[in-house]
Amino acid sequence: MSDTLEKAAAALNEKLSGGDFDSSAKFAIADLGSIVLDENGARVSDEDTEVTLSADADTFEQILSGELNPTGAFMAGKLSVDGDMGVAMKLASVLA
């Protein structure tokens, strides 16, 4: 399992704490794997979710660090969304 994914899941758990995310989403990171987020927090996993957000590792790191807005990444074609767009928008607001 990727150390990068474990660190990213821990960082996402910090961002999700106190947030109100009651749906399920997956970040599919090219060449690394996937992180699932739901009401239980973030963890390295590849289970089915309501929405899948796909990006390369650099884009994902920029979103996670706050350098890149998820909506901006989507509009620029750096982040693709497959599934429930409403859930993606809810996640973007929780991570902002």
Side-chain angles (χ1 to χ4, degrees):
M1 193 173 309
S2 169
D3 188 45
T4 303
L5 288 178
E6 288 293 339
K7 288 179 182 174
L12 284 166
N13 276 320
E14 284 182 30
K15 287 183 177 262
L16 287 172
S17 66
D20 191 26
F21 188 69
D22 58 358
S23 301
S24 63
K26 176 174 22 181
F27 278 111
I29 305 152
D31 300 324
L32 289 180
S34 300
I35 297 173
V36 169
L37 301 89
D38 58 22
E39 66 276 355
N40 298 316
R43 64 194 171 282
V44 177
S45 177
D46 194 27
E47 61 203 69
D48 290 336
T49 57
E50 294 170 80
V51 66
T52 300
L53 300 101
S54 303
D56 62 29
D58 187 49
T59 300
F60 175 71
E61 287 175 18
Q62 288 179 21
I63 290 170
L64 194 59
S65 71
E67 292 175 43
L68 183 61
N69 178 296
T71 304
F74 174 74
M75 296 299 202
K78 293 182 175 187
L79 178 70
S80 64
V81 178
D82 182 29
D84 190 326
M85 186 62 81
V87 173
M89 299 297 280
K90 188 188 315 185
L91 178 61
S93 68
V94 170
L95 296 180

